[in-house]
PDB file of all heavy atoms in Angstrom:
ATOM      1  N   LEU B1267       5.684   3.408   4.727  1.00  0.00           N
ATOM      2  CA  LEU B1267       6.284   2.088   4.582  1.00  0.00           C
ATOM      3  C   LEU B1267       7.639   2.034   5.287  1.00  0.00           C
ATOM      4  O   LEU B1267       7.987   1.045   5.941  1.00  0.00           O
ATOM      5  CB  LEU B1267       6.435   1.723   3.105  1.00  0.00           C
ATOM      6  CG  LEU B1267       5.126   1.482   2.355  1.00  0.00           C
ATOM      7  CD1 LEU B1267       5.384   1.271   0.872  1.00  0.00           C
ATOM      8  CD2 LEU B1267       4.381   0.280   2.923  1.00  0.00           C
ATOM      9  N   HIS B1268       8.394   3.111   5.158  1.00  0.00           N
ATOM     10  CA  HIS B1268       9.670   3.184   5.874  1.00  0.00           C
ATOM     11  C   HIS B1268       9.438   3.156   7.376  1.00  0.00           C
ATOM     12  O   HIS B1268      10.117   2.460   8.118  1.00  0.00           O
ATOM     13  CB  HIS B1268      10.407   4.470   5.499  1.00  0.00           C
ATOM     14  CG  HIS B1268      11.116   4.380   4.197  1.00  0.00           C
ATOM     15  ND1 HIS B1268      12.244   3.614   4.032  1.00  0.00           N
ATOM     16  CD2 HIS B1268      10.862   4.935   2.992  1.00  0.00           C
ATOM     17  CE1 HIS B1268      12.641   3.712   2.779  1.00  0.00           C
ATOM     18  NE2 HIS B1268      11.816   4.497   2.126  1.00  0.00           N
ATOM     19  N   PHE B1269       8.453   3.932   7.776  1.00  0.00           N
ATOM     20  CA  PHE B1269       8.118   4.032   9.188  1.00  0.00           C
ATOM     21  C   PHE B1269       7.766   2.652   9.753  1.00  0.00           C
ATOM     22  O   PHE B1269       8.220   2.265  10.834  1.00  0.00           O
ATOM     23  CB  PHE B1269       6.927   4.983   9.326  1.00  0.00           C
ATOM     24  CG  PHE B1269       6.732   5.521  10.702  1.00  0.00           C
ATOM     25  CD1 PHE B1269       7.817   5.879  11.495  1.00  0.00           C
ATOM     26  CD2 PHE B1269       5.453   5.683  11.224  1.00  0.00           C
ATOM     27  CE1 PHE B1269       7.626   6.381  12.772  1.00  0.00           C
ATOM     28  CE2 PHE B1269       5.252   6.185  12.498  1.00  0.00           C
ATOM     29  CZ  PHE B1269       6.344   6.532  13.273  1.00  0.00           C
ATOM     30  N   ALA B1270       6.976   1.916   8.985  1.00  0.00           N
ATOM     31  CA  ALA B1270       6.571   0.583   9.428  1.00  0.00           C
ATOM     32  C   ALA B1270       7.775  -0.340   9.546  1.00  0.00           C
ATOM     33  O   ALA B1270       7.889  -1.133  10.484  1.00  0.00           O
ATOM     34  CB  ALA B1270       5.554  -0.008   8.455  1.00  0.00           C
ATOM     35  N   ARG B1271       8.676  -0.226   8.591  1.00  0.00           N
ATOM     36  CA  ARG B1271       9.872  -1.059   8.617  1.00  0.00           C
ATOM     37  C   ARG B1271      10.714  -0.742   9.851  1.00  0.00           C
ATOM     38  O   ARG B1271      11.251  -1.640  10.493  1.00  0.00           O
ATOM     39  CB  ARG B1271      10.684  -0.809   7.340  1.00  0.00           C
ATOM     40  CG  ARG B1271      11.757  -1.833   7.082  1.00  0.00           C
ATOM     41  CD  ARG B1271      12.476  -1.578   5.780  1.00  0.00           C
ATOM     42  NE  ARG B1271      11.581  -1.728   4.624  1.00  0.00           N
ATOM     43  CZ  ARG B1271      12.007  -2.113   3.421  1.00  0.00           C
ATOM     44  NH1 ARG B1271      13.279  -2.377   3.220  1.00  0.00           N
ATOM     45  NH2 ARG B1271      11.171  -2.235   2.426  1.00  0.00           N
ATOM     46  N   MET B1272      10.794   0.547  10.136  1.00  0.00           N
ATOM     47  CA  MET B1272      11.517   0.977  11.325  1.00  0.00           C
ATOM     48  C   MET B1272      10.924   0.331  12.573  1.00  0.00           C
ATOM     49  O   MET B1272      11.625  -0.251  13.387  1.00  0.00           O
ATOM     50  CB  MET B1272      11.430   2.496  11.454  1.00  0.00           C
ATOM     51  CG  MET B1272      12.143   3.056  12.656  1.00  0.00           C
ATOM     52  SD  MET B1272      11.796   4.826  12.880  1.00  0.00           S
ATOM     53  CE  MET B1272      10.342   4.761  13.933  1.00  0.00           C
ATOM     54  N   ARG B1273       9.621   0.436  12.682  1.00  0.00           N
ATOM     55  CA  ARG B1273       8.955  -0.111  13.853  1.00  0.00           C
ATOM     56  C   ARG B1273       9.148  -1.617  13.950  1.00  0.00           C
ATOM     57  O   ARG B1273       9.302  -2.176  15.035  1.00  0.00           O
ATOM     58  CB  ARG B1273       7.472   0.235  13.802  1.00  0.00           C
ATOM     59  CG  ARG B1273       6.907   0.408  15.166  1.00  0.00           C
ATOM     60  CD  ARG B1273       5.660   1.253  15.201  1.00  0.00           C
ATOM     61  NE  ARG B1273       5.043   1.429  13.892  1.00  0.00           N
ATOM     62  CZ  ARG B1273       4.267   2.450  13.586  1.00  0.00           C
ATOM     63  NH1 ARG B1273       4.014   3.366  14.468  1.00  0.00           N
ATOM     64  NH2 ARG B1273       3.733   2.546  12.396  1.00  0.00           N
ATOM     65  N   ALA B1274       9.133  -2.272  12.790  1.00  0.00           N
ATOM     66  CA  ALA B1274       9.318  -3.728  12.777  1.00  0.00           C
ATOM     67  C   ALA B1274      10.699  -4.104  13.301  1.00  0.00           C
ATOM     68  O   ALA B1274      10.899  -5.194  13.833  1.00  0.00           O
ATOM     69  CB  ALA B1274       9.113  -4.274  11.366  1.00  0.00           C
ATOM     70  N   GLN B1275      11.648  -3.179  13.129  1.00  0.00           N
ATOM     71  CA  GLN B1275      12.993  -3.444  13.629  1.00  0.00           C
ATOM     72  C   GLN B1275      13.138  -3.041  15.087  1.00  0.00           C
ATOM     73  O   GLN B1275      14.226  -3.130  15.664  1.00  0.00           O
ATOM     74  CB  GLN B1275      14.020  -2.670  12.795  1.00  0.00           C
ATOM     75  CG  GLN B1275      14.300  -3.292  11.446  1.00  0.00           C
ATOM     76  CD  GLN B1275      15.187  -2.404  10.588  1.00  0.00           C
ATOM     77  OE1 GLN B1275      16.018  -1.667  11.088  1.00  0.00           O
ATOM     78  NE2 GLN B1275      14.993  -2.470   9.280  1.00  0.00           N
ATOM     79  N   GLY B1276      12.035  -2.566  15.661  1.00  0.00           N
ATOM     80  CA  GLY B1276      12.077  -2.205  17.066  1.00  0.00           C
ATOM     81  C   GLY B1276      12.730  -0.857  17.339  1.00  0.00           C
ATOM     82  O   GLY B1276      13.046  -0.540  18.474  1.00  0.00           O
ATOM     83  N   LEU B1277      12.925  -0.065  16.281  1.00  0.00           N
ATOM     84  CA  LEU B1277      13.561   1.248  16.473  1.00  0.00           C
ATOM     85  C   LEU B1277      12.512   2.340  16.680  1.00  0.00           C
ATOM     86  O   LEU B1277      11.349   2.161  16.363  1.00  0.00           O
ATOM     87  CB  LEU B1277      14.428   1.577  15.263  1.00  0.00           C
ATOM     88  CG  LEU B1277      15.536   0.561  14.969  1.00  0.00           C
ATOM     89  CD1 LEU B1277      16.279   0.920  13.711  1.00  0.00           C
ATOM     90  CD2 LEU B1277      16.481   0.466  16.160  1.00  0.00           C
ATOM     91  N   ASN B1278      12.970   3.469  17.172  1.00  0.00           N
ATOM     92  CA  ASN B1278      12.030   4.537  17.482  1.00  0.00           C
ATOM     93  C   ASN B1278      12.426   5.904  16.943  1.00  0.00           C
ATOM     94  O   ASN B1278      11.575   6.757  16.729  1.00  0.00           O
ATOM     95  CB  ASN B1278      11.843   4.643  18.998  1.00  0.00           C
ATOM     96  CG  ASN B1278      10.783   3.695  19.487  1.00  0.00           C
ATOM     97  OD1 ASN B1278       9.690   3.666  18.929  1.00  0.00           O
ATOM     98  ND2 ASN B1278      11.100   2.903  20.490  1.00  0.00           N
ATOM     99  N   ASP B1279      13.704   6.101  16.720  1.00  0.00           N
ATOM    100  CA  ASP B1279      14.164   7.406  16.266  1.00  0.00           C
ATOM    101  C   ASP B1279      14.124   7.498  14.735  1.00  0.00           C
ATOM    102  O   ASP B1279      14.934   6.901  14.038  1.00  0.00           O
ATOM    103  CB  ASP B1279      15.591   7.652  16.772  1.00  0.00           C
ATOM    104  CG  ASP B1279      16.044   9.073  16.487  1.00  0.00           C
ATOM    105  OD1 ASP B1279      15.497   9.696  15.559  1.00  0.00           O
ATOM    106  OD2 ASP B1279      16.941   9.553  17.195  1.00  0.00           O
ATOM    107  N   ARG B1280      13.171   8.247  14.248  1.00  0.00           N
ATOM    108  CA  ARG B1280      12.939   8.353  12.811  1.00  0.00           C
ATOM    109  C   ARG B1280      14.171   8.861  12.072  1.00  0.00           C
ATOM    110  O   ARG B1280      14.584   8.292  11.074  1.00  0.00           O
ATOM    111  CB  ARG B1280      11.776   9.329  12.578  1.00  0.00           C
ATOM    112  CG  ARG B1280      10.804   8.853  11.518  1.00  0.00           C
ATOM    113  CD  ARG B1280       9.424   9.365  11.823  1.00  0.00           C
ATOM    114  NE  ARG B1280       8.638   9.539  10.613  1.00  0.00           N
ATOM    115  CZ  ARG B1280       7.305   9.686  10.622  1.00  0.00           C
ATOM    116  NH1 ARG B1280       6.651   9.653  11.754  1.00  0.00           N
ATOM    117  NH2 ARG B1280       6.634   9.847   9.501  1.00  0.00           N
ATOM    118  N   LYS B1281      14.720   9.945  12.575  1.00  0.00           N
ATOM    119  CA  LYS B1281      15.907  10.553  11.969  1.00  0.00           C
ATOM    120  C   LYS B1281      17.059   9.557  11.871  1.00  0.00           C
ATOM    121  O   LYS B1281      17.712   9.424  10.846  1.00  0.00           O
ATOM    122  CB  LYS B1281      16.352  11.773  12.797  1.00  0.00           C
ATOM    123  CG  LYS B1281      15.580  13.041  12.502  1.00  0.00           C
ATOM    124  CD  LYS B1281      16.457  14.016  11.702  1.00  0.00           C
ATOM    125  CE  LYS B1281      15.640  15.110  11.045  1.00  0.00           C
ATOM    126  NZ  LYS B1281      14.994  15.998  12.037  1.00  0.00           N
ATOM    127  N   GLU B1282      17.285   8.888  12.989  1.00  0.00           N
ATOM    128  CA  GLU B1282      18.423   7.973  13.024  1.00  0.00           C
ATOM    129  C   GLU B1282      18.207   6.800  12.074  1.00  0.00           C
ATOM    130  O   GLU B1282      19.137   6.360  11.391  1.00  0.00           O
ATOM    131  CB  GLU B1282      18.624   7.451  14.453  1.00  0.00           C
ATOM    132  CG  GLU B1282      20.034   6.942  14.703  1.00  0.00           C
ATOM    133  CD  GLU B1282      20.073   5.997  15.883  1.00  0.00           C
ATOM    134  OE1 GLU B1282      19.628   6.395  16.981  1.00  0.00           O
ATOM    135  OE2 GLU B1282      20.537   4.841  15.695  1.00  0.00           O
ATOM    136  N   TYR B1283      16.994   6.315  12.048  1.00  0.00           N
ATOM    137  CA  TYR B1283      16.686   5.215  11.141  1.00  0.00           C
ATOM    138  C   TYR B1283      17.001   5.596   9.701  1.00  0.00           C
ATOM    139  O   TYR B1283      17.656   4.845   8.973  1.00  0.00           O
ATOM    140  CB  TYR B1283      15.214   4.821  11.271  1.00  0.00           C
ATOM    141  CG  TYR B1283      14.766   3.891  10.179  1.00  0.00           C
ATOM    142  CD1 TYR B1283      15.058   2.529  10.236  1.00  0.00           C
ATOM    143  CD2 TYR B1283      14.077   4.364   9.071  1.00  0.00           C
ATOM    144  CE1 TYR B1283      14.666   1.676   9.215  1.00  0.00           C
ATOM    145  CE2 TYR B1283      13.682   3.525   8.051  1.00  0.00           C
ATOM    146  CZ  TYR B1283      13.981   2.184   8.132  1.00  0.00           C
ATOM    147  OH  TYR B1283      13.600   1.357   7.125  1.00  0.00           O
ATOM    148  N   ILE B1284      16.540   6.769   9.292  1.00  0.00           N
ATOM    149  CA  ILE B1284      16.768   7.238   7.917  1.00  0.00           C
ATOM    150  C   ILE B1284      18.263   7.358   7.630  1.00  0.00           C
ATOM    151  O   ILE B1284      18.746   6.897   6.593  1.00  0.00           O
ATOM    152  CB  ILE B1284      16.082   8.608   7.688  1.00  0.00           C
ATOM    153  CG1 ILE B1284      14.567   8.480   7.790  1.00  0.00           C
ATOM    154  CG2 ILE B1284      16.489   9.194   6.344  1.00  0.00           C
ATOM    155  CD1 ILE B1284      13.896   7.870   6.588  1.00  0.00           C
ATOM    156  N   ARG B1285      18.980   7.959   8.581  1.00  0.00           N
ATOM    157  CA  ARG B1285      20.421   8.125   8.384  1.00  0.00           C
ATOM    158  C   ARG B1285      21.084   6.786   8.161  1.00  0.00           C
ATOM    159  O   ARG B1285      21.880   6.595   7.243  1.00  0.00           O
ATOM    160  CB  ARG B1285      21.033   8.819   9.599  1.00  0.00           C
ATOM    161  CG  ARG B1285      21.828  10.042   9.235  1.00  0.00           C
ATOM    162  CD  ARG B1285      22.680  10.626  10.336  1.00  0.00           C
ATOM    163  NE  ARG B1285      22.648   9.936  11.596  1.00  0.00           N
ATOM    164  CZ  ARG B1285      22.006  10.376  12.674  1.00  0.00           C
ATOM    165  NH1 ARG B1285      21.324  11.498  12.623  1.00  0.00           N
ATOM    166  NH2 ARG B1285      22.056   9.711  13.800  1.00  0.00           N
ATOM    167  N   ASN B1286      20.720   5.865   9.000  1.00  0.00           N
ATOM    168  CA  ASN B1286      21.272   4.517   8.934  1.00  0.00           C
ATOM    169  C   ASN B1286      20.968   3.836   7.606  1.00  0.00           C
ATOM    170  O   ASN B1286      21.843   3.300   6.931  1.00  0.00           O
ATOM    171  CB  ASN B1286      20.644   3.706  10.064  1.00  0.00           C
ATOM    172  CG  ASN B1286      21.554   2.603  10.517  1.00  0.00           C
ATOM    173  OD1 ASN B1286      21.814   1.690   9.742  1.00  0.00           O
ATOM    174  ND2 ASN B1286      22.056   2.696  11.742  1.00  0.00           N
ATOM    175  N   PHE B1287      19.709   3.903   7.256  1.00  0.00           N
ATOM    176  CA  PHE B1287      19.190   3.291   6.045  1.00  0.00           C
ATOM    177  C   PHE B1287      19.904   3.849   4.812  1.00  0.00           C
ATOM    178  O   PHE B1287      20.401   3.095   3.956  1.00  0.00           O
ATOM    179  CB  PHE B1287      17.693   3.603   5.999  1.00  0.00           C
ATOM    180  CG  PHE B1287      16.984   3.065   4.814  1.00  0.00           C
ATOM    181  CD1 PHE B1287      16.611   1.736   4.773  1.00  0.00           C
ATOM    182  CD2 PHE B1287      16.677   3.888   3.740  1.00  0.00           C
ATOM    183  CE1 PHE B1287      15.944   1.233   3.675  1.00  0.00           C
ATOM    184  CE2 PHE B1287      16.010   3.394   2.645  1.00  0.00           C
ATOM    185  CZ  PHE B1287      15.642   2.066   2.611  1.00  0.00           C
ATOM    186  N   VAL B1288      19.956   5.161   4.734  1.00  0.00           N
ATOM    187  CA  VAL B1288      20.600   5.825   3.612  1.00  0.00           C
ATOM    188  C   VAL B1288      22.086   5.484   3.570  1.00  0.00           C
ATOM    189  O   VAL B1288      22.668   5.289   2.500  1.00  0.00           O
ATOM    190  CB  VAL B1288      20.388   7.351   3.713  1.00  0.00           C
ATOM    191  CG1 VAL B1288      21.344   8.090   2.803  1.00  0.00           C
ATOM    192  CG2 VAL B1288      18.952   7.716   3.391  1.00  0.00           C
ATOM    193  N   GLY B1289      22.677   5.390   4.733  1.00  0.00           N
ATOM    194  CA  GLY B1289      24.091   5.025   4.813  1.00  0.00           C
ATOM    195  C   GLY B1289      24.363   3.671   4.168  1.00  0.00           C
ATOM    196  O   GLY B1289      25.346   3.487   3.446  1.00  0.00           O
ATOM    197  N   GLN B1290      23.464   2.744   4.393  1.00  0.00           N
ATOM    198  CA  GLN B1290      23.640   1.403   3.817  1.00  0.00           C
ATOM    199  C   GLN B1290      23.579   1.427   2.299  1.00  0.00           C
ATOM    200  O   GLN B1290      24.372   0.784   1.617  1.00  0.00           O
ATOM    201  CB  GLN B1290      22.569   0.462   4.360  1.00  0.00           C
ATOM    202  CG  GLN B1290      22.879  -0.043   5.762  1.00  0.00           C
ATOM    203  CD  GLN B1290      21.768  -0.918   6.305  1.00  0.00           C
ATOM    204  OE1 GLN B1290      20.840  -1.287   5.573  1.00  0.00           O
ATOM    205  NE2 GLN B1290      21.838  -1.255   7.577  1.00  0.00           N
TER     206      GLN B1290
END
Side-chain angles (χ1 to χ4, degrees):
Chain B
L1267 292 174
H1268 280 289
F1269 198 39
R1271 194 177 295 209
M1272 180 188 90
R1273 212 157 16 204
Q1275 283 173 31
L1277 301 176
N1278 274 310
D1279 188 336
R1280 222 150 151 164
K1281 278 253 164 65
E1282 202 201 305
Y1283 168 80
I1284 295 283
R1285 234 191 1 254
N1286 208 294
F1287 179 80
V1288 164
Q1290 281 177 9

